[in-house]
Amino acid sequence: MTITAKPGFFYYEQDGEKMGEVSYLTEDHGQVFTLYHTYVDPSLRGQNIAKNLVDAVVEKARNENKKVRPACRYAAVLFRRFPDDYADVALPAAEGHNKDSSAT
């Protein structure tokens, strides 16, 4: 699976069509990536694509010595479900910061 990085988001493309993405904001003077939206096309859900997209942002954060705030529902659940995988970069989601996501 190939994930492509663009400023503010990573996406997964299949047959030339964007089929999933995770969007993030750079906040706190460039030290935090806030994940605010995760989406995977319904036909591809259940294949770990959303997790791989979130993990791409997490890897970027690790490489740049930054933190990640999981503000979308999917990322927040992922960080709670697998705390050991994200403990080194995870910040708590901000109150009132949670956004919808469609990545089930």
Side-chain angles (χ1 to χ4, degrees):
M1 170 166 51
T2 301
I3 294 176
T4 303
K6 295 286 184 179
F9 69 100
F10 284 79
Y11 67 93
Y12 169 69
E13 197 173 69
Q14 187 176 62
D15 299 324
E17 185 176 345
K18 192 186 303 181
M19 301 296 283
E21 78 174 47
V22 60
S23 303
Y24 64 93
L25 298 172
T26 302
E27 299 183 311
D28 295 333
H29 306 288
Q31 296 305 303
V32 175
F33 296 141
T34 299
L35 300 171
Y36 69 90
H37 178 73
T38 307
Y39 173 80
V40 173
D41 187 90
S43 68
L44 298 176
R45 292 186 185 164
Q47 298 180 37
N48 285 326
I49 293 169
K51 182 180 185 310
N52 290 329
L53 289 163
V54 168
D55 287 350
V57 178
V58 168
E59 189 62 29
K60 178 178 174 60
R62 286 182 177 129
N63 290 338
E64 297 179 13
N65 200 29
K66 298 181 191 268
K67 297 293 184 181
V68 177
R69 179 175 291 118
C72 77
R73 194 171 300 138
Y74 176 80
V77 168
L78 189 66
F79 276 47
R80 277 194 309 270
R81 192 172 289 162
F82 303 102
D84 293 340
D85 293 349
Y86 304 106
D88 60 324
V89 296
L91 291 175
E95 292 282 325
H97 220 270
N98 286 340
K99 304 285 184 185
D100 287 334
S101 66
S102 304
T104 323

